[in-house]
Amino acid sequence: MVRPPCCDKEGVKKGPWTPEEDLVLVSYIQEHGPGNWRAVPARTGLMRCSKSCRLRWTNYLRPGIKRGNFTEQEEKLIVHLQALLGNRWAAIASYLPERTDNDIKNYWNTHLKRKLQSGGDGAAKPPAHRPPSSSKGQWERRLQTDINLARRALREALTPLDDLKPQLQRDAAADAPGAGAGTGGGDSPASSSSGASQCSPLAPAAAVAAGPYVLTAENISRMLDGWAGRKVRGGGTPGTPGGAESASTGSSDASEVSYGGAAVASAAPAPACGGPVFEYEAKPGVPTSHQQMPLSAIESWLFDDDSHFHHAVQSASLLDAAPMDYPF
DNA sequence: AAAGGCTGCAACCGCATGCCG
DNA sequence: GCGGCATGCGGTTGCAGCCTT
């Protein structure tokens, strides 16, 4: 049996996506849900590779994505997690639910890497405990250790949030009672990969908080308005619905245009698991779009499982081998 | 004001991994 | 257990806009 090429090299369009293409893709996914990407080009008539469709959806069209304007907290998280996990952007992104791995990767390469390099010689060097590019089995075993390290790093990164901690913990307790409670067994957010079509412990809370995105005519209209209202880059590169312009215009853009806004979500009732389409858009094991949810989830993960954390701290001397000495 | 260089972002490419028959 | 397929992931590239000279 001859394996068909991933992308039909002939007749496959490349380059920036147009608003029309985005609309077609979003409409299709609204109807059929993400997945079965191979069928997407054929069924939609999009002259795009299936991978391109998936990428476009994952990085830009998916609801709940925040773009631009990385906060200092996010920067710290990224720096710490990059030091701990290496260039495993998908894993890092799982701690920043509103950010895509591509976004984080770009931000690291364009901002943080340079920042670290200019900030100190040693800081930019990968730590000794950085995951080796060895077999996955080794890596998985190591991951358990790194989880504990990550917790410590996250706690440090989140230290300035102590003022908010009581509220965050209340949120975590109220919104995600199960979030992180089972992480003592090593089930970190980064490692839970089976939640795409299931109810993540966090997903219902997020759905309640922000509601699911429902593609309606109004939303499509808003989307197109957003495109039409912004200058088209490169004679065809649309701004992204998630608010690509937000970097220069302020953080409000992201919520204005993104699909995760509460106003949009209010168009439909908050579903239980298996509700309307896009309910399954939550990243696996991570909350959907709500500004506070990621921190709540992280806080929950960090503090709910504190006993495990302290045990790890006490029993593992490896903490000493993981200096968190970064310029910022 | 114009030209060249630099920066940042969106997208592509190829490999790795997991699932299913 | 094996092979094929679909998807996920990380590295890299291309290009438009911005900045500097």
Side-chain angles (χ1 to χ4, degrees):
Chain A
M1 190 185 295
V2 178
R3 177 178 177 173
C6 167
C7 301
D8 183 4
K9 297 298 181 185
E10 296 178 4
V12 171
K13 185 180 176 184
K14 293 183 180 179
W17 280 66
T18 66
E20 290 77 16
E21 288 176 314
D22 282 342
L23 186 57
V24 168
L25 181 59
V26 168
S27 298
Y28 175 85
I29 292 174
Q30 182 214 8
E31 188 175 351
H32 298 92
N36 195 14
W37 294 108
R38 197 173 179 80
V40 171
R43 293 192 179 187
T44 60
L46 287 170
M47 305 301 285
R48 293 280 182 175
C49 168
S50 59
K51 289 171 71 172
S52 183
C53 294
R54 181 179 57 82
L55 202 65
R56 183 65 180 173
W57 170 257
T58 302
N59 287 339
Y60 301 99
L61 301 177
R62 185 167 56 87
I65 292 176
K66 187 169 74 175
R67 304 191 60 76
N69 288 337
F70 278 77
T71 66
E72 195 174 345
Q73 285 300 321
E74 288 174 320
E75 275 192 15
K76 287 181 178 179
L77 277 173
I78 292 169
V79 169
H80 281 299
L81 289 169
Q82 199 280 338
L84 289 166
L85 302 175
N87 293 352
R88 299 179 70 243
W89 305 117
I92 293 172
S94 70
Y95 292 90
L96 296 158
E98 293 177 319
R99 304 292 187 180
T100 68
D101 54 354
N102 204 39
D103 214 14
I104 292 171
K105 179 173 59 181
N106 281 335
Y107 190 69
W108 171 265
N109 287 330
T110 58
H111 293 88
L112 298 180
K113 204 172 181 179
R114 194 170 304 143
K115 201 170 178 178
L116 285 171
Q117 283 172 347
S118 64
D121 292 336
K125 289 191 295 186
H129 62 278
R130 183 172 177 156
S133 55
S134 55
S135 70
K136 189 180 179 183
Q138 284 179 308
W139 159 242
E140 292 299 341
R141 283 192 293 275
R142 184 133 204 169
L143 180 61
Q144 181 54 59
T145 298
D146 282 344
I147 285 169
N148 293 327
L149 290 170
R151 289 187 179 201
R152 181 173 185 241
L154 285 166
R155 286 165 66 101
E156 292 178 4
L158 291 168
T159 297
L161 292 178
D162 280 350
D163 294 344
L164 299 174
K165 201 191 315 182
Q167 178 62 41
L168 288 167
Q169 287 189 279
R170 279 197 299 273
D171 290 346
D175 294 347
T183 59
D187 189 18
S188 77
S191 65
S192 61
S193 59
S194 60
S197 60
Q198 299 175 353
C199 263
S200 149
L202 298 174
V208 169
Y213 171 70
V214 176
L215 189 73
T216 63
E218 179 187 358
N219 294 339
I220 294 172
S221 176
R222 286 181 58 185
M223 184 165 67
L224 291 175
D225 285 347
W227 277 313
R230 73 189 70 229
K231 55 187 174 185
V232 176
R233 180 175 158 179
T237 304
T240 56
E245 311 279 316
S246 61
S248 59
T249 58
S251 60
S252 60
D253 276 15
S255 58
E256 285 172 5
V257 188
S258 74
Y259 302 142
V264 172
S266 66
C273 186
V277 288
F278 292 162
E279 169 62 20
Y280 39 69
E281 296 317 322
K283 278 187 177 181
V286 296
T288 52
S289 61
H290 189 277
Q291 189 93 13
Q292 295 301 323
M293 270 310 297
L295 289 179
S296 297
I298 292 169
E299 290 279 317
S300 174
W301 180 59
L302 289 173
F303 296 108
D304 285 0
D305 202 27
D306 224 20
S307 60
H308 295 281
F309 168 74
H310 285 303
H311 177 74
V313 170
Q314 290 168 359
S315 63
S317 60
L318 45 78
L319 282 176
D320 296 332
M324 292 300 154
D325 188 17
Y326 299 102
F328 58 95

